[in-house]
Amino acid sequence: MHGNTMVATPDSASPAVPPIATPVRIRSRLLLLVLSVVLPCMLGVAWLIASTYEAERDAHQRTLRDTARALSLLVDGELARRAAIAHVLAQSPALDNPATLNDDRRLGFERLARRAMQGMDGWVELREPGRVLISTRLPEGRFTVEAGPETLADTAQMLPLQPLSGSPTGEGSLHAAWVEPVTRDGRLLYNLVVTVRPSELQRLVQAQAHHAGWIGTVMDSAGRIVARLPGGHAFVGMTGTADLRQKMAQASEGAFQSVSLDGVQTAGYFSTSPLGWTFVSAMPRQEFAGRMPQAVRRVVVGALVLLALAMAGAVWVAWRIERPILALKRLAQDLQTGRPVQARPTGMTETDGVAEALAEAGHSMATARAELERSVAEAVERTRQVEQRGAQSQRVVALGRLTGGVAHEFNNLLGVISNSMHLIQRHPCAPDLQGPLGAVQRSVDKGSQLTQHLLRFAGRRPVRVQTLSLASYLPEVQALMRSVLGRRIDIHVKVSPDIGPVRVDTNELDLALVNLALNAHDAMPAGGELRLRAGNASAADTEGLPPGDYVLLTVGDDGMGLDPSLVEHAFEPFFTTKGVGQGTGLGLSQVYGFATQAGGTARLASTPGLGTTVSLLLPVARPEDSSDDTVVPAAPGQPSIAGATVLLVEDDESLAEVTTELLRSHGARVLRAANARAALQLLDANNPPDVVLTDVVMPGAMNGVALARHLRDQRPGLPVVLISGYSNADIAEGEFVQLRKPCAPADLVAALHAAMAAAHAEQDA
C-alpha cells in the first residue's frame, strides 16, 4: 500500500508491525455508507434528466430542419412560378423580330404579361440594352422609354433584392427578380424580367404555423433578408449576422447558434436552395436547451429529499456516537492546557471510565504545571527586560554616533564662520561692521553651545573629571535643585552610608540633575515630591554593562508620567513632549551623554499617572584614578606666533583656507596638509615647522591623535596641538594640548605659543 513503512524490531524473526490506516471520523464513515446507497439512485436520476434534455434537443433540431426545408420548398415553388412565367413569355411570337415590335404588338404582349401575373404581387419588364420597353408596373399602354441596364444577361438567373431605379430607398422599393434572356436564331434580343415583392414572400412565411418566439427568415443570394417572422417589413433589406453568413458560405445547410438581429440568443437551421436563396428557422436558445418535464421534476425532487433525509439521519446517528468521544477529547485538551478536568457522564460506560482517569491525572498535574508556569514567567520577564535594555542602548549608541558626526561637521562650519569673522575684524573697515560682526559672534557662540549639548549625548565632549562622594554632594546640591523646583515640590534625599565614590565631571553632573529637575517641575504643575536616591548598584541593575562596581543614582517624581511608546525615544536628541518653543529636547540627551561618557548608562521608567524615574549608573572610582586633568601651562608674556612656521593638518578645505589666512594674519608661515600622510610627506620634504596644528578626525588610516603620537615618537621636540569638533577624553587626555572647534583666535594663538614655549623649555633643560 502506498505510503506504508515497515518497522523492524531488533529481533529479525519478529513479525512486521502492520501499517496504520489513515483515521476516518465516524460521521464520515456513516456519510460514505449513505452515499454508497443513494448515489447510484442519484446517478440514475441524472442520466434520466440528461436523456430527457438530449431527446428534446434532438426533437427541436429535427423540427427546425424540417421547418427550414419546408419553407425552402414553399418559397422555391413561388420563385419557380416566376421563372416559368418568364420562360413562357420569352417564347412569345411577338418578340421574334425587334423591327416589327410596334405599339400594337407591345400592347398585346403587355396584356399577355398582365394576365400571366394576375394574382401575383409583382410586374413584368421587357428590357433591351439601355432602356425598358415594357413594364406592367406602369399604367396599361404607357410605353414611355425608361432607363435600363446597359447590358443584357445571357443566362437565366435570380437577382437578389435591389431598389427600383429612380425610386427612394426603403422596403417599399425593394424587389427581387427572375431574369430570362430572349434569344432568336442564337442572337440575344431582350431580357424578360419577372419581379417578386418581399411582401408576397412575407405572406408565405406568415402562413407557416410557427411556434411563439420562433424566427423564420428568407434571405437572398447576397445574404439580405427578404422576409422574416417576426418583425416583417422592419428587417427587409438588412444583412444577416456575420457568423450565419460565414456558415452559409461553407455549406448549403446545417445547424447554428447565433444572436439574432433583435438581440435574442438563438439556435436554428438553415437550408440554401439551388437558386442561391437561404431559408432559416430558429428558436430561442434557452427553449432549444429543453425544459424539464413535470414527471422528471418530481423524480428529481424526490431523490433530493431522500438524499437529504438519509444524510440527516447519518449525521444524527454519528452525533450520538461522536458525542462521548468528543467529550473525552475535550477532557484531554483540558489536561493538556492545564485547565481543571471535570469528568461528566457521557452515556457510555467505557468513555466514563476514561474520563475519570483523565480527571485524576489533571488534578495531579495542576500543581506542578502552575509552579512551572510561574518559573517560566519570571525567566521570560527577566529576558524581556534585558532585551529591551539592550535594544534601547544600541539605538541610543547609534544616535550618539550620528549626532557626534553632525556636531563635528557643524563645528567645522562654525570654525569657518568664526575665523572669517575675526579676519574681517582685522580689516580697516571693521569698526563700521561691529554690529553685524557682534551678531555673527553671538550666533557662533549659540551654535557652539548647541553642539556641546549634542556632544554630551554622543559622549564625545572633553570633560574635566574628579573623584566625588555622593554622600556629601547630594545634600549640598539640594539648594541648586530647590531654585529650579520652587516651593510647591518637596525634595527628599537618601544616600546609603556605604556608597562608593564616583569619578565624574561635577559641572556635567550639576547640569544633568538640573535637567531632570526641570522635567520633574513640568511634570508636576500642581506640586509633588522629588526623590533622590543613591546607593551601590546590584547585579540585576548592571546587566548589560561592563564588569565592575557601580553606583545607582535615581531621580523620581510622582508627575504625569509618559506613555510606553514614548519611553524608548526619551533619550533621543531633540525629542520632546512639550509644545513648540517650550523645550529643546536636549535635556535627557545630555543626561544620557553624561552617564555614558562617565562609563555608565542612563535608564528611564515611567507609568502614566504615577510618575517617572531616571536611573544613572556610574562606575565606582578606582584608587589609582587621578582627580584632576592635565592643564596646559600658560606661556609668560603676550602670546605671539609671528615668524613661526605652523603645519596645519585639516581635511575640510574651507576651514583650512580660513584658518591659514587667520594664522598668516598673525604673522605665521603656514604649511597645509589634507591628511596625516600628506603631513608626513611635507615634514620629510621641508624644513621642520615650529608647531603642528592638526584636526582629530580625518580620513585615512591615521587620525590626528595617531599622527601626534607618531610625531612624539619620531620628532620628540616638535610640539603638537589637537583641535576638533569633538573628541574622546580617553584617547588623548593629558597627552596633548586640545582645542575645541570653533576656537577663538586668541585661544588658538595662545595654545600654539604655549606649546612652542613648552617645547623650547624642554630643549633648554
Side-chain angles (χ1 to χ4, degrees), residues 479-491 517 521 528:
L480 176 63
M481 301 185 71
R482 172 62 62 194
S483 64
V484 174
L485 295 172
R487 295 296 178 183
R488 289 185 298 176
I489 298 177
D490 297 329
I491 303 177
H521 178 271

Side-chain angles (χ1 to χ4, degrees), residues 530-563:
L530 181 72
R531 298 172 294 277
L532 271 73
R533 301 287 186 267
N536 294 322
S538 64
D541 296 328
T542 59
E543 288 184 5
L545 292 176
D549 297 328
Y550 291 85
V551 169
L552 176 62
L553 172 60
T554 62
V555 180
D557 63 61
D558 50 4
M560 295 179 291
L562 294 176
D563 188 85

